[in-house]
Every structure is written in C-alpha cells, then in structure tokens.
Amino acid sequence: MKNHLIYLAFGNDVFIREAAYSILSFIAIHGTEHSVNIIIVTDRIDAAKKHLGNMEDINYVEISDAQIKEWRGPNNYLYRIKPECLKHVSNLYGGDVTDIFCLLDTDTVWSRNIAPCLAMARIGNTIFMDASEGKLRIVKHMFRDRRTLHSLANRQWTINGKNFIISGEMELWNSGAIMLQRKHMHYIDETIAVIDALWKYATITTLEQNALSIVAHNNQVQVNPLNGTIFHYHEYKEFRHELRAFFSHYQGAPAHVLAQHTLGLHPQIRMQPKIAFYQLPRWRRSLFQKFGKTWTPLPLPWESQAPPRQC
C-alpha cells in the first residue's frame, strides 16, 4: 500500500512558491522518514527545485500547455484540471487498489500528521475533502454560486447512463483537498462527467467541488474533513507576499532548514489581524477605510528578531 501526495502548480511563480512551502511544512511535521510519495505536477520543474532547496525524494510530472488545455475540457473550465490531474497521476503511478492519492491545492499548509487520516481513508466507502461548507439548502450561505446550484435542486439528471439528484440536503465540500483510494477513482471520472453535463446550467467557479459533492452524495460516500490536518488559507491571499519574502530571506538554505522555518510562519496565525478587522462593525471598518487604514500585518519572524548587541 502506497500513499501519494500531489500538488498541481503551473504558470506563475506564486503557485510554485505555495506548493514548495506546503511541502516544506509537510516535512516539518513528518520529518524526512515518512511513507508518502510527494509529486509535483508542473510546467516549471527547475523553479520548483530551486524553491525546495533541491530536496531529494520529490517526483516531478511535467505537463505542457497543450495538456492543460485538454484538461480544461470542452468548456474551457479552469478547475476541471484538478480531477483530470488526479486521474492522470493515479494512472501514471498505478499500484494497488488500496493506494491513496491526495491532491492538495497549493495554498495549503500542514498542521498535523497525516497518518490517522490515511488509516481512515482505507475504511469502507470513504474519501476526504478539505472542509464542509454546509448543506445546499442553507439560505444564509446563498452566495451566487450556491444560488445557481440551488436552482437545479430536486431534479434528476441522467449523466453517462447514471441518475444523479441534486438534493438540498446534500453536504457541499471545499476541494482544497481530495484524498481517496485508487479503487474509488471512478468517483473522479463521474465528477468530470457531471462538470461537463452541468456546465451550461451552472457556469460557476465552484462547479468542480460541487460536482464531487454531488457524486459523493449520490453514491452514499462518507466524506471526512482533512481540515485540521491541513490549513487552507484561500481567504488570506496576502500570504503570497510573505512567501516571496520567506524564500528571498532564506535563499540558498537547504531543505531541512527551510522546513523548520515554516513553523514560524503559519498563515492561520498571520491572518488573525485581518480576521479581527473584518469582525468589526461595518461602520467602524468604513471609518477606518475612509482614512486609509485597515489592518496591520504581523511582523515577519526575521524582522522581529532583536539585532545582535554591539560589544
């Protein structure tokens, strides 16, 4: 039984840095003696190696612009590439039906050891995703994407000869993480089919994760959260600037040194001033913004260190 951890990072340096940092945080938590095969699917292998301090035991799968275009599918939908990438890597690495494949968004960081989740993922009809976003019917979360999906609720869809119901009672899950056994990879095939079938009715950014939620609900899959083991900082894009500073400050450092320094730069801590600001009453936020003030980022760890004393 093998375990595979996959990152899809292509194009901009931003995503290469995010993936590298997530891998370094994995090493900081798990050490170098772990049972996970780390894979980066990228069009920029040299850039990834540079940011990882030429770390050994990383596998690289090179992709081209043509492959990315193919993965986007007939509707040129960007996030369709995620299930396609997961399927592609599972085909490349093959193996036993109990092998586990975990695809993470690059904007994630490790907080706990993955071992308990790997054990649970091998029990029954189970997959892992990032975190629950609640039931489809919950009105207080009715932003545009959910309203669009909700308009399709309680209708039966026949897709590739199989019937699917979009139920208001189904749980919607964030796909910042997707982890499943190889024997369950047919759920990914179904997800791609659902994306393509529903696109003309639901042209929404979140269709990819909603499609997997639909597939899980209709197949009575037990979905568990990987949130807590990882932290998905998709609401703290400011961390990208901090990562640029991190890799610049520690440029040339070996991988094990970089890994240890990730522990002092955790986005869940660094985003607290932003969270505190947006928890203020709207009138107070508006007043601050009127005078050009919002929230103050925490100092970077190396900036807060006292300079050496002069003798």
Side-chain angles (χ1 to χ4, degrees):
M1 296 185 296
K2 294 182 179 179
N3 307 307
H4 304 280
L5 175 59
I6 309 158
Y7 293 88
L8 173 60
F10 64 93
N12 199 299
D13 252 2
V14 163
F15 308 115
I16 303 293
R17 281 193 290 266
E18 286 181 342
Y21 193 83
S22 187
I23 292 168
L24 291 166
S25 74
F26 178 87
I27 300 301
I29 296 294
H30 298 82
T32 54
E33 300 296 324
H34 55 78
S35 62
V36 175
N37 177 36
I38 301 174
I39 303 162
I40 302 180
V41 182
T42 183
D43 58 347
R44 304 186 61 203
I45 292 176
D46 289 342
K49 286 182 176 179
K50 182 187 74 173
H51 285 99
L52 284 165
N54 291 312
M55 183 190 298
E56 297 179 358
D57 301 326
I58 302 289
N59 294 284
Y60 296 92
V61 174
E62 189 166 16
I63 53 171
S64 63
D65 290 344
Q67 183 133 48
I68 293 167
K69 182 178 180 181
E70 180 185 339
W71 286 354
R72 291 175 73 126
N75 300 301
N76 196 32
Y77 171 47
L78 175 60
Y79 296 107
R80 188 181 184 275
I81 67 178
K82 290 174 61 177
E84 286 281 11
C85 174
L86 187 53
K87 184 173 74 168
H88 178 70
V89 173
S90 72
N91 289 335
L92 279 179
Y93 284 85
D96 191 81
V97 293
T98 60
D99 286 359
I100 289 178
F101 293 85
C102 178
L103 175 67
L104 284 191
D105 282 4
T106 56
D107 56 348
T108 54
V109 62
W110 288 86
S111 303
R112 295 178 186 164
N113 196 293
I114 194 177
C117 297
L118 291 174
M120 288 179 63
R122 287 192 165 95
I123 300 173
N125 190 26
T126 302
I127 70 172
F128 276 76
M129 295 182 71
D130 174 20
S132 170
E133 296 184 342
K135 293 186 183 295
L136 174 59
R137 64 173 171 77
I138 298 177
V139 177
K140 69 177 181 179
H141 295 309
M142 283 290 182
F143 48 88
R144 176 187 171 273
D145 281 17
R146 188 171 294 212
R147 286 198 306 271
T148 302
L149 189 64
H150 190 265
S151 70
L152 307 179
N154 303 316
R155 292 169 59 182
Q156 181 171 291
W157 306 79
T158 303
I159 301 170
N160 285 359
K162 183 171 181 175
N163 293 331
F164 291 88
I165 294 286
I166 300 176
S167 169
E169 293 300 314
M170 77 177 188
E171 200 87 8
L172 297 179
W173 289 84
N174 186 287
S175 64
I178 305 170
M179 185 168 78
L180 71 171
Q181 293 183 83
R182 190 166 184 265
K183 69 180 180 181
H184 295 321
M185 202 58 68
H186 60 95
Y187 295 144
I188 302 304
D189 291 325
E190 289 184 14
T191 296
I192 294 169
V194 170
I195 289 171
D196 293 344
L198 294 186
W199 178 256
K200 65 180 178 181
Y201 305 101
T203 309
I204 54 178
T205 304
T206 58
L207 182 58
E208 163 263 329
Q209 64 185 30
N210 293 336
L212 183 50
S213 299
I214 292 167
V215 168
H217 180 80
N218 281 269
N219 286 281
Q220 298 182 314
V221 175
Q222 173 64 46
V223 185
N224 294 318
L226 202 60
N227 181 38
T229 299
I230 62 161
F231 178 68
H232 187 194
Y233 56 90
H234 56 101
E235 294 183 340
Y236 187 55
K237 297 303 184 186
E238 293 83 357
F239 196 58
R240 291 175 171 177
H241 304 296
E242 297 174 359
L243 286 184
R244 185 186 296 114
F246 173 88
F247 284 108
S248 175
H249 183 76
Y250 294 113
Q251 186 175 4
H256 71 277
V257 173
L258 289 171
Q260 287 306 306
H261 284 301
T262 64
L263 299 172
L265 193 74
H266 200 292
Q268 192 168 13
I269 295 171
R270 299 199 58 79
M271 71 187 297
Q272 292 308 308
K274 180 179 181 179
I275 292 173
F277 177 77
Y278 283 99
Q279 286 176 340
L280 293 173
R282 182 176 295 180
W283 69 267
R284 287 194 65 188
R285 295 202 310 270
S286 298
L287 188 61
F288 278 123
Q289 289 167 338
K290 182 178 180 181
F291 292 97
K293 297 179 180 180
T294 54
W295 53 277
T296 303
L298 295 171
L300 295 168
W302 53 89
E303 293 174 343
S304 60
Q305 294 169 356
R309 296 179 64 183
Q310 300 294 323
C311 297

